[in-house]
Amino acid sequence: MVAESKSMSKAMPTTVSAHIVANSDAQAVEQWLKEYTASAQTFRAYRKEAERLLLWLDAQRLSLASVDRRRLDEFEGFLTNPLPAEQWVGPPRPRSHPDWRPFRCPLTAASRRQSLIILQGLFSWLVEAGWVAHNPFRLMRDKRRRLDNRQEEIERYLERPLWDWLWQWLNRPLEESASSRAHFLWRRRRLIFGFAYLLAPRISEMASARMGDFFCREGRWWWRVIGKGDKLASIPVPADMLTLLGEWREHLGLTALPEADESGSVLRGLNGKRSLGDNQLYRLIKMSFKEAAQEIEIDEGGAVFAQTLRKATPHWLRHTAITHQAQAGIELRYLAKTARHSRLDTTARYLHTEADEWQRQLAAHQLESRRL
């Protein structure tokens, strides 16, 4: 699960009595990761953060037991700017690929918080397991600020005018001479962005979606999804999504509506059968954002929109979907069900109505000279 190296393979300090069977830091982390094998998504996320820490420790010739308050600050700085970049940063690759790198880019403040939250849990477990003597996270004076992953409101989304432009751009008709391959890619990209916007899935949920996950009950269509924390949910399917799905299925030579227990993937490769992986889907969306940015930059006043599209990630589509649903007046309880949030205050970050009203009312507060 986690690669071994010289420093990672150091034995546990003799001052600590271990309660797990492990001979190295890497093996101890593997024991921790086994607690999360029930959820593939959580397992991958936790492995990624633990692996970054172990690789950094290896580069510093350190072990988990040597991580103290000072080292924790150094590691947080490393997450902000992993150097040398050629050693740490690179495009998505399979973990077995020689060009695989642990970072796609330096981590944002939100991503650093998430990383530290996960690693705080790792060290708590390692202390209980007797592998390390203390948890350095407990010494953080500003721990609440650093590890509180909640924000006042979601800002990483496409505002309505930009989304409307993007959707129109995605729907531009192809030239009459377009190849069958071009038609396939055009329809698949429309489905990807429509799926992301209408149902607010996570990337992994979209990639793993099967045709049989769409089902009809008492005349209404639903999408069955196993999401974060291995939780099962059913989400209402809007008419626009059903239309997009039907057009895509007919292009694949299938019936317009999914049949019960149909096993094929929703999103497929060029052969029309092979499913898309998380990384491939991520790259397709990022490439679309890049192409759209180049297109809108040509338009007058499009520079700001282009800048937004260039920094957007696929997860922004989920934020965009939930934010626009909130702006459309969908009740908080239903937003939470669509987003599959366990806490209403998490969903409430998508509510911008109060901020808009605050701006409107404060606009009446002006300098006297402007009223003359």
Side-chain angles (χ1 to χ4, degrees):
M1 294 180 187
V2 179
E4 290 269 9
S5 66
K6 290 183 179 179
S7 64
M8 288 182 200
S9 60
K10 290 180 180 178
M12 178 194 64
T14 57
T15 55
V16 180
S17 178
H19 308 303
I20 57 173
V21 178
N23 296 314
S24 66
D25 282 351
Q27 290 182 11
V29 170
E30 285 184 2
Q31 293 291 321
W32 172 69
L33 287 171
K34 286 180 181 179
E35 302 293 328
Y36 301 97
T37 54
S39 172
Q41 184 178 355
T42 300
F43 175 84
R44 289 195 299 267
Y46 284 23
R47 180 183 63 187
K48 177 176 64 178
E49 301 306 335
E51 199 159 41
R52 285 170 173 168
L53 175 63
L54 289 178
L55 290 170
W56 179 78
L57 289 173
D58 181 50
Q60 306 297 314
R61 299 186 180 279
L62 299 171
S63 66
L64 287 169
S66 64
V67 178
D68 55 17
R69 184 66 184 80
R70 179 172 63 88
R71 297 296 186 190
L72 204 54
D73 276 344
E74 292 175 0
F75 179 68
E76 187 175 2
F78 167 72
L79 296 178
T80 305
N81 189 22
L83 295 174
E86 61 272 14
Q87 177 182 343
W88 298 101
V89 183
R93 292 283 189 275
R95 293 174 71 253
S96 59
H97 195 282
D99 293 333
W100 174 85
R101 297 292 183 269
F103 294 87
R104 288 175 179 162
C105 60
L107 298 191
T108 63
S111 295
R112 292 196 302 273
R113 282 196 298 272
Q114 185 64 22
S115 177
L116 294 177
I117 287 169
I118 291 171
L119 295 177
Q120 176 188 221
L122 165 62
F123 271 90
S124 294
W125 188 90
L126 291 172
V127 170
E128 292 298 320
W131 188 258
V132 298
H134 78 289
N135 184 347
F137 287 89
R138 296 181 65 85
L139 300 178
M140 277 186 171
R141 184 169 180 268
D142 57 349
K143 177 181 174 184
R144 182 174 180 180
R145 176 184 64 80
R146 286 170 181 254
L147 302 186
D148 189 350
N149 205 32
R150 294 171 293 176
Q151 300 173 359
E152 288 189 2
E153 60 182 41
I154 291 295
E155 297 178 351
R156 293 171 296 164
Y157 70 98
L158 306 183
E159 295 182 8
R160 172 67 69 174
L162 179 54
W163 166 258
D164 289 343
W165 178 91
L166 179 63
W167 184 244
Q168 291 177 13
W169 178 78
L170 291 166
N171 281 275
R172 291 181 306 173
L174 297 173
E175 297 179 0
E176 292 183 4
S177 59
S179 64
S180 58
R181 182 178 185 275
H183 278 280
F184 180 92
L185 295 176
W186 181 80
R187 290 184 181 279
R188 185 177 68 181
R189 186 158 70 171
R190 285 176 70 245
L191 179 67
I192 289 172
F193 277 81
F195 192 163
Y197 183 74
L198 293 169
L199 295 179
R202 299 175 178 89
I203 288 295
S204 59
E205 295 166 355
M206 228 185 341
S208 61
R210 317 295 290 181
M211 290 294 188
D213 293 336
F214 291 88
F215 65 96
C216 185
R217 185 172 59 212
E218 296 183 357
R220 297 182 176 89
W221 281 87
W222 301 81
W223 174 49
R224 184 188 300 108
V225 56
I226 298 177
K228 195 172 182 179
D230 213 29
K231 296 178 181 178
L232 177 65
S234 294
I235 311 299
V237 178
D240 285 348
M241 179 62 199
L242 207 57
T243 299
L244 280 173
L245 182 62
E247 292 173 353
W248 171 242
R249 286 176 56 83
E250 289 177 344
H251 188 76
L252 295 175
L254 304 172
T255 58
L257 297 176
E259 300 176 1
D261 301 323
E262 195 172 340
S263 60
S265 298
V266 174
L267 301 179
R268 306 184 181 189
L270 288 172
N271 65 0
K273 296 179 181 179
R274 178 178 52 83
S275 60
L276 295 183
D278 297 13
N279 285 337
Q280 188 176 3
L281 181 56
Y282 185 98
R283 292 196 298 271
L284 285 172
I285 296 174
K286 282 291 289 184
M287 186 184 304
S288 297
F289 280 145
K290 182 178 179 180
E291 293 175 8
Q294 293 172 345
E295 185 74 21
I296 200 172
E297 198 168 33
I298 301 172
D299 297 343
E300 183 178 354
V304 175
F305 280 167
Q307 185 179 12
T308 299
L309 288 171
R310 286 194 175 97
K311 69 180 181 181
T313 68
H315 200 65
W316 282 39
L317 293 174
R318 174 172 162 84
H319 292 323
T320 300
I322 301 169
T323 298
H324 289 187
Q325 288 180 30
Q327 291 171 344
I330 295 176
E331 293 181 27
L332 181 61
R333 55 176 173 159
Y334 295 128
L335 285 176
K337 286 179 176 291
T338 297
R340 285 157 285 128
H341 291 152
S342 58
R343 295 166 56 102
L344 284 179
D345 58 355
T346 302
T347 314
R349 292 183 296 159
Y350 294 87
L351 302 178
H352 300 267
T353 306
E354 184 174 295
D356 293 341
E357 179 62 16
W358 188 7
Q359 284 275 357
R360 188 190 69 78
Q361 293 194 22
L362 197 60
H365 181 57
Q366 301 175 351
L367 294 171
E368 187 67 26
S369 59
R370 293 188 58 191
R371 299 176 184 172
L372 298 179

